[in-house]
Coordinates of all heavy atoms in Angstrom, one line a residue:
L1 N 0.8 -1.2 0.0 CA 0.0 0.0 0.0 C 0.9 1.2 0.0 O 1.9 1.3 0.7 CB -0.9 0.0 1.3 CG -2.0 -1.0 1.4 CD1 -2.6 -0.9 2.7 CD2 -3.0 -0.8 0.3
V2 N 0.5 2.2 -0.8 CA 1.2 3.5 -0.8 C 0.1 4.6 -0.6 O -0.9 4.6 -1.3 CB 1.9 3.7 -2.1 CG1 2.5 5.1 -2.2 CG2 3.0 2.7 -2.3
R3 N 0.4 5.5 0.3 CA -0.5 6.6 0.5 C 0.2 7.9 0.1 O 1.3 8.2 0.6 CB -0.9 6.7 2.0 CG -1.9 7.9 2.2 CD -2.3 7.9 3.7 NE -1.2 8.1 4.6 CZ -1.2 8.8 5.7 NH1 -2.3 9.4 6.0 NH2 -0.1 8.9 6.4
R4 N -0.4 8.6 -0.9 CA 0.3 9.8 -1.4 C -0.6 11.0 -0.9 O -1.8 11.1 -1.0 CB 0.3 9.9 -2.9 CG 1.0 11.1 -3.5 CD 1.1 11.1 -5.0 NE -0.2 11.2 -5.6 CZ -0.5 10.9 -6.8 NH1 0.4 10.3 -7.6 NH2 -1.7 11.0 -7.3
L5 N 0.1 12.0 -0.2 CA -0.5 13.2 0.3 C -0.4 14.3 -0.8 O 0.6 14.8 -1.0 CB 0.1 13.6 1.6 CG -0.3 12.9 2.9 CD1 0.1 11.4 2.8 CD2 0.2 13.6 4.1
E6 N -1.6 14.6 -1.4 CA -1.6 15.7 -2.3 C -1.6 17.0 -1.5 O -0.9 17.9 -1.8 CB -2.9 15.7 -3.1 CG -3.1 14.4 -3.9 CD -2.1 14.2 -5.1 OE1 -1.5 15.2 -5.5 OE2 -2.0 13.1 -5.6
T7 N -2.4 17.0 -0.4 CA -2.4 18.1 0.6 C -2.8 17.3 1.9 O -3.2 16.2 1.9 CB -3.5 19.2 0.4 OG1 -4.8 18.6 0.5 CG2 -3.3 19.8 -1.0
P8 N -2.7 18.0 3.1 CA -3.0 17.3 4.3 C -4.5 16.7 4.3 O -4.8 15.8 5.0 CB -2.8 18.3 5.4 CG -1.8 19.2 4.8 CD -2.1 19.3 3.4
S9 N -5.4 17.4 3.6 CA -6.8 16.9 3.6 C -7.2 16.2 2.3 O -8.3 16.0 2.0 CB -7.7 18.1 3.8 OG -7.6 19.1 2.8
D10 N -6.2 15.9 1.4 CA -6.5 15.3 0.1 C -5.4 14.2 -0.1 O -4.3 14.5 -0.4 CB -6.5 16.3 -1.0 CG -6.9 15.7 -2.3 OD1 -7.4 14.5 -2.4 OD2 -6.7 16.4 -3.4
Q11 N -5.8 12.9 0.1 CA -4.8 11.8 0.0 C -5.3 10.8 -1.0 O -6.5 10.6 -1.2 CB -4.6 11.2 1.4 CG -4.1 12.2 2.4 CD -4.1 11.7 3.8 OE1 -4.3 10.6 4.1 NE2 -3.8 12.6 4.7
V12 N -4.4 10.1 -1.6 CA -4.7 9.0 -2.5 C -4.0 7.7 -2.1 O -2.9 7.8 -1.6 CB -4.1 9.4 -3.9 CG1 -4.5 8.4 -5.0 CG2 -4.6 10.8 -4.4
V13 N -4.7 6.6 -2.2 CA -4.2 5.3 -1.8 C -4.0 4.4 -3.0 O -4.9 4.3 -3.8 CB -5.1 4.6 -0.8 CG1 -4.5 3.3 -0.4 CG2 -5.2 5.5 0.5
F14 N -2.8 3.8 -3.2 CA -2.6 2.9 -4.3 C -2.2 1.5 -3.7 O -1.6 1.4 -2.6 CB -1.4 3.4 -5.1 CG -1.6 4.7 -5.7 CD1 -1.2 5.9 -5.1 CD2 -2.1 4.8 -7.0 CE1 -1.3 7.1 -5.7 CE2 -2.3 6.0 -7.6 CZ -1.9 7.2 -7.0
L15 N -2.6 0.5 -4.5 CA -2.2 -0.9 -4.2 C -1.1 -1.2 -5.2 O -1.3 -1.1 -6.4 CB -3.3 -1.8 -4.3 CG -3.1 -3.3 -4.1 CD1 -2.7 -3.5 -2.6 CD2 -4.4 -4.1 -4.4
V16 N 0.1 -1.6 -4.7 CA 1.3 -1.9 -5.5 C 1.6 -3.4 -5.4 O 1.7 -3.9 -4.3 CB 2.5 -1.1 -5.1 CG1 3.7 -1.4 -6.0 CG2 2.2 0.4 -5.1
D17 N 1.6 -4.1 -6.6 CA 2.0 -5.5 -6.6 C 3.5 -5.5 -6.7 O 4.1 -5.2 -7.8 CB 1.3 -6.1 -7.8 CG 1.6 -7.6 -7.8 OD1 2.7 -8.1 -7.5 OD2 0.7 -8.4 -8.3
V18 N 4.2 -5.9 -5.7 CA 5.7 -5.9 -5.7 C 6.3 -7.0 -6.6 O 7.4 -6.9 -7.0 CB 6.2 -6.1 -4.2 CG1 5.9 -4.9 -3.4 CG2 5.8 -7.4 -3.6
Q19 N 5.5 -8.0 -7.0 CA 6.0 -9.0 -7.9 C 6.0 -8.5 -9.3 O 6.9 -8.8 -10.1 CB 5.2 -10.3 -7.7 CG 5.5 -11.0 -6.4 CD 4.6 -12.2 -6.2 OE1 3.7 -12.5 -6.9 NE2 5.0 -13.1 -5.3
T20 N 4.9 -7.8 -9.7 CA 4.7 -7.4 -11.1 C 5.1 -6.0 -11.3 O 5.3 -5.5 -12.5 CB 3.3 -7.7 -11.6 OG1 2.4 -6.8 -10.9 CG2 2.9 -9.1 -11.4
G21 N 5.1 -5.2 -10.2 CA 5.2 -3.7 -10.4 C 4.0 -3.0 -10.7 O 4.0 -1.8 -10.9
G22 N 2.9 -3.7 -10.8 CA 1.6 -3.1 -11.2 C 1.1 -2.2 -10.1 O 1.3 -2.5 -8.9
V23 N 0.4 -1.1 -10.5 CA -0.1 -0.2 -9.5 C -1.6 0.1 -9.8 O -1.9 0.3 -11.0 CB 0.7 1.2 -9.6 CG1 0.0 2.2 -8.7 CG2 2.1 1.0 -9.3
A24 N -2.4 0.0 -8.8 CA -3.8 0.2 -8.9 C -4.3 1.3 -7.9 O -3.9 1.2 -6.7 CB -4.6 -1.0 -8.7
R25 N -5.0 2.3 -8.4 CA -5.5 3.3 -7.5 C -6.7 2.8 -6.8 O -7.6 2.3 -7.4 CB -5.8 4.6 -8.2 CG -6.3 5.7 -7.4 CD -6.6 7.0 -8.2 NE -7.1 8.0 -7.3 CZ -6.8 9.3 -7.5 NH1 -6.0 9.7 -8.5 NH2 -7.3 10.2 -6.6
L26 N -6.8 2.9 -5.4 CA -7.9 2.4 -4.6 C -8.9 3.5 -4.4 O -10.1 3.2 -4.2 CB -7.5 1.8 -3.3 CG -6.7 0.5 -3.4 CD1 -6.3 0.0 -2.0 CD2 -7.6 -0.6 -4.0
T27 N -8.5 4.7 -4.2 CA -9.4 5.8 -3.9 C -9.9 6.5 -5.1 O -9.2 6.6 -6.2 CB -8.6 6.8 -3.0 OG1 -7.4 7.2 -3.6 CG2 -8.3 6.2 -1.7
A28 N -11.1 7.0 -5.0 CA -11.7 7.7 -6.1 C -11.1 9.0 -6.4 O -10.7 9.8 -5.5 CB -13.2 7.9 -5.8
G29 N -10.9 9.3 -7.7 CA -10.4 10.6 -8.1 C -11.4 11.7 -7.9 O -12.6 11.5 -8.1
G30 N -10.9 12.9 -7.6 CA -11.8 14.1 -7.5 C -12.5 14.1 -6.2 O -13.4 15.0 -6.0
T31 N -12.2 13.2 -5.3 CA -12.9 13.2 -3.9 C -11.8 13.5 -2.9 O -11.0 12.7 -2.6 CB -13.6 11.9 -3.7 OG1 -14.5 11.6 -4.7 CG2 -14.3 11.9 -2.3
R32 N -11.8 14.7 -2.3 CA -10.9 15.0 -1.3 C -11.2 14.3 0.0 O -12.3 14.3 0.5 CB -10.9 16.5 -1.0 CG -10.5 17.4 -2.2 CD -10.6 18.8 -1.9 NE -9.7 19.3 -0.8 CZ -8.5 19.8 -0.9 NH1 -8.0 20.0 -2.1 NH2 -7.8 20.1 0.1
A33 N -10.2 13.6 0.5 CA -10.4 12.8 1.8 C -9.1 12.4 2.4 O -8.0 12.4 1.7 CB -11.2 11.5 1.5
V34 N -9.1 12.1 3.7 CA -8.0 11.7 4.4 C -8.1 10.2 4.6 O -9.2 9.7 4.9 CB -7.9 12.4 5.8 CG1 -6.8 11.8 6.7 CG2 -7.6 13.9 5.6
Y35 N -7.0 9.4 4.5 CA -7.0 8.0 4.8 C -5.9 7.7 5.7 O -4.7 7.9 5.3 CB -6.8 7.2 3.4 CG -7.9 7.4 2.5 CD1 -7.8 8.5 1.5 CD2 -9.1 6.7 2.5 CE1 -8.8 8.7 0.6 CE2 -10.1 7.0 1.6 CZ -10.0 8.0 0.7 OH -11.0 8.2 -0.2
E36 N -6.2 7.2 6.9 CA -5.1 7.0 7.9 C -5.2 5.5 8.4 O -6.3 4.9 8.3 CB -5.3 7.9 9.1 CG -5.1 9.4 8.7 CD -5.4 10.3 9.8 OE1 -6.2 10.0 10.7 OE2 -4.8 11.4 9.9
H37 N -4.1 5.1 9.0 CA -4.1 3.8 9.7 C -4.5 2.6 8.7 O -5.3 1.7 9.1 CB -4.9 3.7 11.0 CG -4.6 4.9 11.9 ND1 -3.4 5.0 12.5 CD2 -5.4 6.0 12.2 CE1 -3.4 6.1 13.2 NE2 -4.6 6.7 13.1
L38 N -4.0 2.6 7.5 CA -4.3 1.6 6.6 C -3.8 0.2 7.1 O -2.6 0.1 7.4 CB -3.6 1.9 5.2 CG -4.1 3.2 4.6 CD1 -3.1 3.7 3.5 CD2 -5.5 3.0 4.0
T39 N -4.7 -0.8 7.1 CA -4.4 -2.1 7.6 C -5.1 -3.2 6.8 O -6.3 -3.0 6.5 CB -4.8 -2.2 9.1 OG1 -4.3 -1.1 9.9 CG2 -4.4 -3.5 9.7
W40 N -4.4 -4.2 6.5 CA -5.0 -5.4 5.8 C -5.8 -6.2 6.8 O -5.4 -6.3 8.0 CB -3.9 -6.3 5.3 CG -3.2 -5.7 4.1 CD1 -2.0 -5.0 4.1 CD2 -3.5 -5.9 2.7 NE1 -1.7 -4.7 2.8 CE2 -2.6 -5.2 1.9 CE3 -4.6 -6.5 2.1 CZ2 -2.7 -5.1 0.6 CZ3 -4.7 -6.4 0.7 CH2 -3.7 -5.8 -0.1
T41 N -6.9 -6.8 6.4 CA -7.6 -7.7 7.2 C -6.8 -9.0 7.2 O -6.0 -9.3 6.3 CB -9.0 -8.0 6.7 OG1 -9.0 -8.4 5.3 CG2 -9.9 -6.7 6.8
A42 N -7.1 -9.9 8.1 CA -6.4 -11.2 8.3 C -6.5 -12.0 7.0 O -5.5 -12.7 6.7 CB -6.9 -11.9 9.5
D43 N -7.6 -12.0 6.3 CA -7.8 -12.8 5.1 C -7.2 -12.2 3.9 O -7.2 -12.8 2.8 CB -9.2 -13.2 4.9 CG -10.1 -12.0 4.7 OD1 -9.6 -10.9 4.5 OD2 -11.4 -12.2 4.7
G44 N -6.7 -10.9 4.0 CA -6.1 -10.3 2.8 C -7.1 -9.8 1.8 O -6.7 -9.4 0.7
R45 N -8.4 -9.8 2.1 CA -9.4 -9.5 1.1 C -9.8 -8.0 1.2 O -10.4 -7.5 0.2 CB -10.6 -10.4 1.2 CG -10.2 -11.8 0.9 CD -11.4 -12.8 1.2 NE -12.5 -12.4 0.3 CZ -13.6 -13.0 0.3 NH1 -13.8 -14.0 1.2 NH2 -14.6 -12.7 -0.5
Q46 N -9.5 -7.4 2.3 CA -9.9 -6.0 2.5 C -8.8 -5.2 3.1 O -7.9 -5.7 3.8 CB -11.2 -5.9 3.4 CG -12.4 -6.5 2.8 CD -13.6 -6.2 3.7 OE1 -13.5 -6.1 4.9 NE2 -14.8 -6.2 3.1
I47 N -8.9 -3.9 2.9 CA -8.0 -2.9 3.6 C -8.8 -2.0 4.4 O -9.8 -1.4 3.9 CB -7.1 -2.1 2.6 CG1 -6.3 -3.1 1.7 CG2 -6.3 -1.1 3.3 CD1 -5.7 -2.5 0.5
L48 N -8.5 -1.9 5.7 CA -9.3 -1.0 6.6 C -8.6 0.3 6.7 O -7.3 0.3 6.7 CB -9.4 -1.7 8.0 CG -10.1 -3.1 8.0 CD1 -10.1 -3.6 9.4 CD2 -11.5 -3.0 7.5
A49 N -9.3 1.4 6.9 CA -8.7 2.7 7.1 C -9.7 3.5 7.9 O -10.9 3.3 8.0 CB -8.4 3.3 5.8
I50 N -9.1 4.6 8.5 CA -9.9 5.7 9.1 C -10.0 6.8 8.1 O -8.9 7.2 7.6 CB -9.3 6.2 10.4 CG1 -9.1 5.0 11.4 CG2 -10.1 7.3 11.0 CD1 -10.4 4.4 11.8
S51 N -11.2 7.2 7.7 CA -11.3 8.2 6.6 C -12.5 9.1 6.8 O -13.5 8.7 7.4 CB -11.4 7.5 5.3 OG -11.6 8.4 4.2
D52 N -12.4 10.3 6.3 CA -13.5 11.2 6.3 C -14.2 11.3 4.9 O -15.0 12.2 4.6 CB -13.1 12.6 6.7 CG -12.0 13.3 5.8 OD1 -11.5 12.6 4.8 OD2 -11.7 14.5 6.0
V53 N -13.9 10.3 4.0 CA -14.5 10.3 2.7 C -16.0 10.3 2.8 O -16.6 9.5 3.4 CB -14.0 9.2 1.8 CG1 -14.4 7.8 2.4 CG2 -14.4 9.3 0.4
G54 N -16.6 11.4 2.1 CA -18.1 11.4 2.1 C -18.7 11.8 3.4 O -19.9 11.7 3.5
R55 N -17.9 12.2 4.4 CA -18.5 12.5 5.7 C -17.8 13.7 6.3 O -16.7 14.1 6.0 CB -18.3 11.4 6.7 CG -19.0 10.1 6.3 CD -18.7 9.0 7.3 NE -18.5 9.4 8.7 CZ -19.4 9.4 9.6 NH1 -20.7 9.2 9.3 NH2 -19.1 9.8 10.8
E56 N -18.5 14.3 7.3 CA -17.9 15.4 8.1 C -16.9 14.8 9.1 O -15.9 15.4 9.4 CB -19.0 16.2 8.8 CG -18.4 17.3 9.7 CD -19.5 18.0 10.4 OE1 -20.7 17.8 10.2 OE2 -19.2 18.8 11.3
Y57 N -17.2 13.6 9.6 CA -16.3 13.0 10.7 C -15.6 11.8 10.1 O -16.0 11.2 9.1 CB -17.2 12.5 11.8 CG -18.0 13.6 12.5 CD1 -19.3 13.7 12.4 CD2 -17.3 14.5 13.3 CE1 -20.1 14.7 13.0 CE2 -18.0 15.5 13.9 CZ -19.4 15.6 13.8 OH -20.1 16.6 14.4
Q58 N -14.5 11.5 10.7 CA -13.7 10.3 10.3 C -14.4 9.0 10.7 O -15.0 9.0 11.8 CB -12.3 10.3 10.9 CG -11.5 11.4 10.3 CD -10.0 11.3 10.8 OE1 -9.8 10.8 11.8 NE2 -9.1 11.8 9.9
A59 N -14.4 8.0 9.9 CA -15.1 6.7 10.2 C -14.2 5.6 9.8 O -13.2 5.8 9.1 CB -16.4 6.7 9.4
L60 N -14.6 4.4 10.2 CA -13.9 3.2 9.7 C -14.5 2.8 8.4 O -15.7 2.6 8.2 CB -14.1 2.1 10.8 CG -13.5 0.7 10.4 CD1 -11.9 0.8 10.4 CD2 -13.9 -0.4 11.4
V61 N -13.6 2.6 7.4 CA -14.0 2.2 6.1 C -13.2 1.0 5.7 O -12.1 0.7 6.2 CB -13.8 3.3 5.0 CG1 -14.6 4.5 5.3 CG2 -12.3 3.7 4.9
A62 N -13.7 0.3 4.7 CA -13.0 -0.9 4.2 C -13.0 -0.9 2.6 O -14.0 -0.6 2.0 CB -13.7 -2.2 4.6
F63 N -11.8 -1.1 2.1 CA -11.7 -1.3 0.6 C -11.7 -2.8 0.3 O -11.0 -3.5 0.9 CB -10.4 -0.7 0.1 CG -10.2 0.7 0.2 CD1 -9.5 1.3 1.2 CD2 -10.7 1.6 -0.8 CE1 -9.3 2.7 1.3 CE2 -10.5 2.9 -0.7 CZ -9.8 3.5 0.3
D64 N -12.6 -3.2 -0.6 CA -12.5 -4.6 -1.1 C -11.4 -4.6 -2.2 O -11.5 -3.9 -3.2 CB -13.9 -4.9 -1.8 CG -13.9 -6.3 -2.2 OD1 -13.2 -6.7 -3.2 OD2 -14.7 -7.1 -1.7
V65 N -10.4 -5.4 -1.9 CA -9.2 -5.4 -2.8 C -9.6 -5.9 -4.2 O -9.0 -5.4 -5.2 CB -8.1 -6.3 -2.2 CG1 -6.9 -6.5 -3.1 CG2 -7.7 -5.7 -0.9
E66 N -10.5 -6.9 -4.3 CA -10.8 -7.4 -5.6 C -11.6 -6.4 -6.5 O -11.4 -6.3 -7.7 CB -11.6 -8.7 -5.5 CG -11.9 -9.4 -6.8 CD -12.5 -10.8 -6.6 OE1 -12.1 -11.5 -5.7 OE2 -13.5 -11.1 -7.3
T67 N -12.6 -5.8 -5.9 CA -13.5 -4.9 -6.6 C -13.2 -3.4 -6.5 O -13.6 -2.6 -7.3 CB -15.0 -5.0 -6.1 OG1 -15.1 -4.5 -4.8 CG2 -15.4 -6.5 -6.2
G68 N -12.4 -3.0 -5.5 CA -12.1 -1.6 -5.3 C -13.2 -0.9 -4.6 O -13.0 0.3 -4.3
Q69 N -14.3 -1.5 -4.3 CA -15.4 -0.8 -3.6 C -15.1 -0.4 -2.2 O -14.4 -1.2 -1.5 CB -16.6 -1.7 -3.6 CG -17.8 -1.1 -3.0 CD -19.1 -2.0 -3.1 OE1 -18.9 -3.2 -3.4 NE2 -20.2 -1.5 -2.7
L70 N -15.5 0.8 -1.8 CA -15.3 1.3 -0.5 C -16.6 1.2 0.3 O -17.6 1.6 -0.3 CB -14.8 2.7 -0.5 CG -14.6 3.3 0.9 CD1 -13.2 3.9 1.0 CD2 -15.6 4.4 1.2
V71 N -16.6 0.6 1.5 CA -17.7 0.5 2.3 C -17.5 1.1 3.7 O -16.4 0.8 4.3 CB -18.1 -1.0 2.5 CG1 -19.3 -1.2 3.4 CG2 -18.4 -1.6 1.1
H72 N -18.4 2.0 4.2 CA -18.3 2.5 5.5 C -18.7 1.4 6.5 O -19.7 0.8 6.4 CB -19.2 3.7 5.7 CG -18.6 4.9 5.0 ND1 -18.9 5.2 3.7 CD2 -17.9 5.9 5.5 CE1 -18.2 6.4 3.4 NE2 -17.6 6.8 4.5
R73 N -17.8 1.1 7.5 CA -18.1 0.0 8.4 C -18.6 0.5 9.8 O -19.4 -0.1 10.4 CB -16.8 -0.8 8.7 CG -16.3 -1.5 7.5 CD -17.2 -2.7 7.2 NE -16.7 -3.4 6.1 CZ -17.3 -4.4 5.5 NH1 -18.6 -4.6 5.9 NH2 -16.8 -5.0 4.5
L74 N -18.1 1.7 10.2 CA -18.5 2.3 11.5 C -18.6 3.7 11.3 O -17.6 4.4 11.0 CB -17.4 1.9 12.6 CG -17.7 2.4 14.0 CD1 -19.0 1.7 14.6 CD2 -16.5 2.1 14.9
T75 N -19.8 4.3 11.5 CA -20.0 5.7 11.2 C -20.7 6.5 12.3 O -21.9 6.9 12.1 CB -20.8 5.9 9.9 OG1 -22.0 5.1 10.0 CG2 -20.1 5.3 8.7
P76 N -20.1 6.6 13.4 CA -20.7 7.4 14.5 C -20.8 8.9 14.2 O -20.1 9.4 13.2 CB -19.8 7.1 15.7 CG -18.5 6.9 15.1 CD -18.7 6.2 13.8
A77 N -21.5 9.6 15.0 CA -21.6 11.1 14.8 C -20.5 11.8 15.4 O -20.6 12.9 16.0 CB -23.0 11.6 15.3
C78 N -19.3 11.3 15.4 CA -18.1 11.9 15.9 C -16.9 11.2 15.2 O -17.1 10.2 14.5 CB -17.9 11.7 17.4 SG -17.9 10.0 17.9
D79 N -15.7 11.7 15.4 CA -14.5 11.1 14.7 C -14.2 9.7 15.4 O -14.3 9.6 16.6 CB -13.3 12.0 14.9 CG -13.3 13.1 13.9 OD1 -13.9 13.0 12.8 OD2 -12.7 14.2 14.2
V80 N -13.7 8.8 14.5 CA -13.2 7.5 15.0 C -11.7 7.7 14.9 O -11.1 8.2 14.0 CB -13.6 6.4 14.0 CG1 -12.9 5.1 14.4 CG2 -15.1 6.2 14.1
D81 N -11.0 7.2 16.0 CA -9.5 7.3 16.0 C -8.9 6.0 15.8 O -9.1 5.0 16.3 CB -9.0 7.9 17.3 CG -9.3 9.4 17.4 OD1 -9.3 10.1 16.4 OD2 -9.7 9.9 18.5

């Protein structure tokens, strides 16, 4: 995983295949958001992160590695740390 900071409030996450050198962007373009604490799930099928994408507050989100789909997992009315 590579996280590129365009600005402190605009970050991009890439998945890099170290065997082939292939790079796939996981985050949507044109959407300003912060992605912190990127962590693989035990089964390697998802990447968890704390993000404010689409929200005022930071929440727990998951990227599906196969589809690239982002799903909000925990979305309280306050920041998740």
Side-chain angles (χ1 to χ4, degrees):
L1 292 174
V2 174
R3 180 176 63 141
R4 182 176 70 198
L5 280 64
E6 304 289 344
T7 69
S9 62
D10 185 13
Q11 302 172 7
V12 181
V13 179
F14 298 93
L15 181 61
V16 179
D17 185 323
V18 295
Q19 293 178 342
T20 67
V23 177
R25 183 178 177 145
L26 289 179
T27 53
T31 303
R32 296 175 62 95
V34 172
Y35 299 92
E36 299 177 328
H37 309 293
L38 297 161
T39 306
W40 288 92
T41 57
D43 62 9
R45 296 174 62 183
Q46 294 183 331
I47 299 165
L48 303 175
I50 302 297
S51 178
D52 63 352
V53 63
R55 294 178 35 91
E56 178 180 351
Y57 300 108
Q58 291 185 333
L60 178 64
V61 298
F63 291 99
D64 183 294
V65 175
E66 186 174 315
T67 67
Q69 182 179 9
L70 179 127
V71 176
H72 284 86
R73 295 290 183 191
L74 181 64
T75 57
C78 61
D79 282 332
V80 173
D81 287 325

